[in-house]
Amino acid sequence: ALLASVMFSFVLRGKLSGGGAQGRTQTVLKLAHCLSTEHPVHQAMEYMKTHLEEISDGRMTVDIYPGSVLGSETQCIEMLQNGSLAMTKTSAAAMENFIPAMAVFGLPYIFRDADHYWKVLNGDIGRALLRKGETRFLYGLCYYDAGSRNFYSRGSPIRTPEDLEGLKIRVMNSETAIDMVKALGGAPTPIAWGELYSALAQGTVDGAENNPPSFISNRHYEVCKHFSLNGHTRIPDILMMSTRARDKLTPQQREWVQQAADASSEFQRALWKKETVAALKKAREEGVNIYTVDTAVFAARVQPMLRQVENPEVRELLDRIPEVH
Ligand code: PAF
């Protein structure tokens, strides 16, 4: 069973005790992601697992492998494509290498606020983007809130784009993130999330950018004592499923998976708000200086980058997003 669970995206397991599925086989979907178990998005996936077990009366469950144990976000997406993993939770930023239109989420200052962002995610644009990867074996189940991303640093604070001059800033594996940090004057350095704590501790990079719950759950506050609320991007997390694994499910099983994913997304949105407040409080308690900055100055610096977007699909989305109300 151990070998099977390592090699295959899902396994059938004999259910030994308890629950309505007693004596029947159970379909077990394998899900891997890079976050620590303290992260609110991990908690949402635990919620999804429990909900799936409940609505399927124990016929289905999910085995969750957190903390990059099966690989980086990019590696997990590739495992979905070759069918060795059933599900992963990834940032939409890592998805842009597989579904180029997803690059739109990495563009800075395109959402008016959290409400606008969720209207886009839950509307035609967001739904169409979840379906866009099917020809590449990638089926988007739902979005999770990943708030807004902000710069944080070890040595000196980043309160204006000028403060980024000469600083090595860790970015995700995303051309858009690289272009954005360059546009703001910093030196972008792509590093996998699982390797970032040591890269910060060793000074390989001077800073990074993320939302407060990620900053706290991976203990980056131990190394970085400056956190600026500049909110350059809102890049959602996505729960992705391999179409190879999905195709093996019955229509009823697919419906259960979708229902559990949708319920976990609702649950996570509420949790996210609380956890963001708690993360900022914890950061202050840990001696991190939190800066309110003039975001208009950052936004002005990236306008040329937005005008230069070449991909026609991304261009079109960029024009449609402000029209969503
Ligand atoms: O910065 C990243 O790599 C991602 O935002 C994270 C924290 C792994 C969530 O997808």
Side-chain angles (χ1 to χ4, degrees):
L2 180 64
L3 184 64
S5 73
V6 172
M7 286 176 60
F8 300 114
S9 59
F10 74 82
V11 289
L12 296 175
R13 192 186 272 161
K15 188 119 178 17
L16 299 178
S17 62
Q22 198 159 6
R24 290 198 296 259
T25 53
Q26 188 184 42
T27 300
V28 185
L29 300 170
K30 195 163 78 167
L31 187 170
H33 67 81
C34 297
L35 301 171
S36 84
T37 51
E38 279 113 72
H39 198 285
V41 173
H42 173 80
Q43 290 169 39
M45 288 180 276
E46 289 285 0
Y47 182 94
M48 190 262 299
K49 171 190 165 93
T50 306
H51 197 69
L52 181 61
E53 288 169 357
E54 275 168 19
I55 59 179
S56 70
D57 198 15
R59 290 176 182 85
M60 295 188 83
T61 190
V62 181
D63 276 354
I64 305 180
Y65 297 77
S68 309
V69 287
L70 295 189
S72 67
E73 292 205 325
T74 301
Q75 287 165 330
C76 287
I77 299 167
E78 285 165 357
M79 285 192 272
L80 254 55
Q81 293 188 301
N82 69 30
S84 59
L85 184 66
M87 291 170 153
T88 192
K89 190 294 304 162
T90 172
S91 169
M95 287 304 308
E96 79 178 60
N97 302 309
F98 301 85
I99 305 173
M102 289 270 183
V104 72
F105 290 123
L107 294 172
Y109 299 106
I110 61 168
F111 296 109
R112 290 186 292 275
D113 51 28
D115 195 42
H116 180 214
Y117 159 73
W118 272 103
K119 282 196 174 127
V120 172
L121 296 182
N122 286 335
D124 295 345
I125 295 178
R127 282 200 299 267
L129 283 170
L130 287 182
R131 290 290 78 80
K132 261 217 160 324
E134 281 183 68
T135 52
R136 293 174 187 188
F137 307 104
L138 301 168
Y139 186 93
L141 288 167
C142 68
Y143 292 105
Y144 291 129
D145 205 335
S148 59
R149 297 178 77 95
N150 309 277
F151 288 113
Y152 52 91
S153 47
R154 284 160 45 99
S156 50
I158 299 166
R159 306 171 90 159
T160 65
E162 284 69 38
D163 294 334
L164 279 160
E165 289 291 323
L167 293 193
K168 278 198 192 155
I169 301 294
R170 177 270 176 175
V171 291
M172 290 184 279
N173 185 14
S174 143
E175 278 304 321
T176 316
I178 291 175
D179 289 349
M180 184 200 61
V181 169
K182 273 191 197 151
L184 288 169
T189 310
I191 295 177
W193 180 246
E195 290 157 28
L196 180 53
Y197 182 92
S198 47
L200 286 165
Q202 287 161 14
T204 314
V205 284
D206 304 298
E209 46 83 56
N210 222 313
N211 51 60
S214 298
F215 176 70
I216 291 299
S217 63
N218 269 55
R219 308 181 80 83
H220 294 175
Y221 61 84
E222 289 176 354
V223 188
C224 295
K225 295 296 182 191
H226 304 285
F227 192 104
S228 295
L229 296 171
N230 70 296
H232 44 268
T233 45
R234 287 184 185 272
I235 309 181
D237 275 353
I238 302 180
L239 185 61
M240 275 282 165
M241 184 162 194
S242 162
T243 59
R244 294 185 194 273
R246 193 171 176 274
D247 289 349
K248 291 190 187 129
L249 302 179
T250 64
Q252 173 66 83
Q253 287 178 317
R254 282 183 217 154
E255 203 180 306
W256 283 330
V257 170
Q258 188 61 58
Q259 270 178 33
D262 290 343
S264 70
S265 175
E266 280 291 309
F267 165 83
Q268 190 265 347
R269 261 183 87 178
L271 181 66
W272 185 262
K273 283 193 191 131
K274 277 194 287 181
E275 294 283 330
T276 301
V277 173
L280 286 171
K281 181 169 177 279
K282 165 89 175 153
R284 284 193 183 94
E285 285 163 6
E286 294 291 340
V288 177
N289 301 296
I290 313 268
Y291 305 97
T292 304
V293 301
D294 185 358
T295 54
V297 181
F298 285 85
R301 275 287 278 266
V302 293
Q303 290 315 302
M305 171 188 173
L306 296 183
R307 284 195 291 274
Q308 279 157 21
V309 168
E310 277 172 12
N311 179 309
E313 272 186 302
V314 179
R315 185 76 264 158
E316 195 214 318
L317 293 172
L318 192 54
D319 293 341
R320 282 172 60 200
I321 285 175
E323 305 305 321
V324 176
H325 290 279

